Amino acid sequence: MTKTAELDTILALLATRGGEQYGQEAVSQLEHALQAAALAEAAGASSALITAALFHDIGHLTDSEFEPALTRGKDRWHEDLGADHLARLYGPEVTEPIRLHVPAKRYLCAVDPDYKATLSPTSIKTLDIQGGPFETSEVRAFIERPHARAALQLRRWDDRAKAPNADTPDLDHFRTYAIAALKH
């Protein structure tokens, strides 16, 4: 299967299963993904980071046990599942911001006293399940990682991408960026 065909399979997964409710948020997975990608595009992000924004929660859709585990207070590490799922198609410019977007939330909660107040109730609940704010040593280790700064950008778009009925471009619009970001 060509990389473009594999990409189309992932886009089809987002188009079909993405219509489901995004946890307790007021948007679907697909709406959330499109909003995050639109925010990245509006910020002038690279094709890789726009693609990361589009696919940052794909691990929710590739893991049928994600939602049931979450309701039991268990973390299924969707960020790693998603990054690993995309690694055949994309390099670290796409996969690492995805892998680090949950640690980015933990980092921001540790370093910015006002950040936690901006989180949705669902994000606050999952923060606890994901380990809570980082400790001092974890803060230093996170920010020194390659792609940590890109993950912080992605995290902020993720947090803002929960507006019901937001007007965004469709998946086909973002397919162009996703193709441009494919590893060669």
Side-chain angles (χ1 to χ4, degrees):
M1 183 182 299
T2 67
K3 288 183 180 180
T4 305
E6 286 185 62
L7 169 61
D8 287 339
T9 300
I10 294 167
L11 290 169
L13 174 67
L14 190 54
T16 56
R17 293 227 24 243
E20 298 171 8
Q21 186 74 20
Y22 175 50
Q24 300 300 311
E25 303 293 354
V27 294
S28 70
Q29 291 274 359
L30 178 59
E31 290 169 318
H32 178 63
L34 293 173
Q35 287 180 39
L39 290 165
E41 181 182 46
S46 67
S47 291
L49 198 48
I50 292 168
T51 302
L54 181 67
F55 292 140
H56 75 278
D57 279 342
I58 200 73
H60 290 200
L61 303 179
T62 62
D63 179 9
S64 62
E65 292 300 311
F66 178 78
E67 287 296 332
L70 193 60
T71 61
R72 294 188 313 272
K74 302 290 182 194
D75 189 3
R76 298 279 293 183
W77 307 97
H78 77 281
E79 64 277 20
D80 290 329
L81 292 172
D84 292 346
H85 187 78
L86 296 168
R88 288 176 31 107
L89 298 178
Y90 296 106
E93 301 79 17
V94 173
T95 60
E96 288 309 296
I98 292 170
R99 187 178 313 282
L100 296 174
H101 82 277
V102 170
K105 175 171 64 170
R106 298 181 65 204
Y107 171 88
L108 288 166
C109 284
V111 301
D112 181 350
D114 299 323
Y115 174 75
K116 190 173 180 181
T118 69
L119 295 176
S120 70
T122 299
S123 285
I124 291 171
K125 177 183 174 187
T126 58
L127 172 66
D128 292 333
I129 294 168
Q130 294 159 338
F134 276 155
E135 301 295 328
T136 303
S137 62
E138 293 172 308
V139 165
R140 282 192 300 270
F142 171 81
I143 202 61
E144 291 173 0
R145 291 185 69 170
H147 308 286
R149 301 221 182 266
L152 292 171
Q153 290 178 291
L154 173 55
R155 180 76 236 170
R156 294 207 185 261
W157 298 323
D158 178 1
D159 294 331
R160 292 175 42 211
K162 298 174 183 176
N165 304 312
D167 187 29
T168 63
D170 63 12
L171 267 177
D172 196 49
H173 172 83
F174 293 111
R175 183 178 184 274
T176 305
Y177 293 110
I179 288 172
L182 287 168
K183 65 182 173 183
H184 302 286

